[in-house]
């Protein structure tokens, strides 16, 4: 029983860290819990997907698809405090404008958004909306529950495999190496909803496989860039991986729909 309560605490700590959602007072706080809360990052994605899907379903009943998609995307961004979008913008600015490791880290720490960041964030949010808009309503709901948890698992894989690149930073409290068991829990949090949707026939197995492969490729590609440029990852890198992986998953699902492989 004590172990279950502790796992619930870790989930609520992750929810508080990655979203604006208030958590119950009984949860409490211990700095050491942050080291282990990242295992539930994909489960936080399930919560975000639930809110985004609920907003989309309600909006779609009243407005055309483009408006419903934008409202759903806005709800997800508000819920997370644009945490991941900000990370993507900072990484685009740092990697685009910095030549040395020190300069890259310095630019990424700057709260201002430059040209690279504005373009990167604008294109990413635009691609999200365009891809979701091109899917029918039932497929949008499925896509949200696939992309949000799975893209967060891609980000978590950097914590599992790599070192933190800064002495301090927003993600430093969560920057301890994950054990294989912790990463397994993260995989389960992303995998259970995806497998449930595929088993229920709401998603083709090949489309799910393509989504997993896309998220893995993003994690490997951006992870390699982070290692080469700054010797590890930062919180901004995690946000960038999450955002790019989310877009790639939507595009993979959209490709299957347009090929007629997903009725």
């Amino acid at each position: 029983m004590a172990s279950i309560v502790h796992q619930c605490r870790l989930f609520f700590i992750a929810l508080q860290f990655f979203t604006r959602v208030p958590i119950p007072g009984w949860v409490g706080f211990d700095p050491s819990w942050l080291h282990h809360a990242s295992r539930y990052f994909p489960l936080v994605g399930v919560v975000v997907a639930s809110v985004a899907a609920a907003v989309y379903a309600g909006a779609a009943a009243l407005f055309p698809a483009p408006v419903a998609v934008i409202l759903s995307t806005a709800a997800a961004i508000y819920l997370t405090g644009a945490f991941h979008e900000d990370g993507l913008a900072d990484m685009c600015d740092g990697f685009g404008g910095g030549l040395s490791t020190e300069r890259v880290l310095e630019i990424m720490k700057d709260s201002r958004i430059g040209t690279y960041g504005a373009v990167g964030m604008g294109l990413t949010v635009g691609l999200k909306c365009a891809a979701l808009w091109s899917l029918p309503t039932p497929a949008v709901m499925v896509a949200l529950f696939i992309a949000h948890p799975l893209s967060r698992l891609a980000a978590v894989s950097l914590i599992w495999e790599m070192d933190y690149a800064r002495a301090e930073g927003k993600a430093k409290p969560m920057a301890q190496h994950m054990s294989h068991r912790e990463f397994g829990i993260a995989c389960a949090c992303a995998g259970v909803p995806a497998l449930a949707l595929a088993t229920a026939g709401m998603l083709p197995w090949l489309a799910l496989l393509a989504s997993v492969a896309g998220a893995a490729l993003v994690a490997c590609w951006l992870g390699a860039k982070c290692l080469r440029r700054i010797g590890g990852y930062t919180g901004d890198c995690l946000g960038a991986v999450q955002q790019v992986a989310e877009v790639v998953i939507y595009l993979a699902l959209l490709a299957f729909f347009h090929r007629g492989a997903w009725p």
Side-chain angles (χ1 to χ4, degrees):
M1 182 64 180
S3 176
I4 294 174
V5 171
H6 181 60
Q7 295 303 313
C8 288
R9 279 197 170 101
L10 293 180
F11 164 68
F12 281 121
I13 291 297
L15 189 66
Q16 183 182 49
F17 191 87
F18 290 113
T19 73
R20 298 174 182 267
V21 177
I23 63 173
W26 61 263
V27 173
F29 180 75
D30 187 316
S32 65
W33 295 345
L34 283 170
H35 299 162
H36 306 290
S38 55
R39 70 183 72 176
Y40 291 117
F41 190 17
L43 190 56
V44 171
V46 176
V47 175
V48 175
S50 300
V51 172
V55 171
Y56 177 81
L62 300 172
F63 307 112
V67 176
V69 165
I70 292 172
L71 288 174
S72 173
T73 303
I77 291 173
Y78 176 79
L79 189 67
T80 59
F83 199 47
H84 312 306
E85 288 80 6
D86 179 65
L88 171 67
D90 286 343
M91 184 174 173
C92 287
D93 279 334
F95 280 52
L99 297 178
S100 66
T101 297
E102 294 74 19
R103 183 57 181 153
V104 170
L105 292 172
E106 182 185 351
I107 293 174
M108 288 169 69
K109 199 172 183 180
D110 194 330
S111 59
R112 294 169 296 181
I113 296 180
T115 302
Y116 290 108
V119 171
M121 185 164 56
L123 288 174
T124 301
V125 174
L127 270 173
K128 279 188 205 180
C129 292
L132 290 172
W133 176 13
S134 302
L135 290 170
T137 295
V140 170
M141 310 291 274
V142 171
L144 292 171
F145 279 100
I146 296 296
H148 279 288
L150 197 55
S151 62
R152 284 161 173 79
L153 178 62
V156 165
S157 69
L158 267 64
I159 303 176
W160 180 48
E161 295 179 322
M162 295 165 56
D163 294 321
Y164 195 67
R166 294 186 189 274
E168 294 180 356
K170 288 183 292 185
K172 181 66 174 177
M174 286 192 161
Q176 306 298 318
H177 274 293
M178 297 180 75
S179 68
H180 296 320
R181 175 178 172 272
E182 288 176 317
F183 186 66
I185 292 173
C187 290
C189 291
V192 167
L195 291 173
L197 289 168
T199 302
M202 301 175 71
L203 176 72
W205 286 101
L206 277 178
L208 175 57
L209 221 68
S211 300
V212 173
L217 283 172
V218 169
C220 291
W221 173 54
L222 288 182
K225 274 187 173 293
C226 292
L227 273 176
R228 187 172 67 252
R229 296 295 301 277
I230 59 175
Y233 72 91
T234 67
D236 291 329
C237 299
L238 299 182
V241 169
Q242 188 279 319
Q243 287 289 291
V244 176
E246 184 182 345
V247 170
V248 167
I249 291 167
Y250 291 146
L251 293 176
L253 295 176
L254 180 60
F256 270 83
F257 175 74
H258 269 278
R259 287 179 62 247
W262 185 7

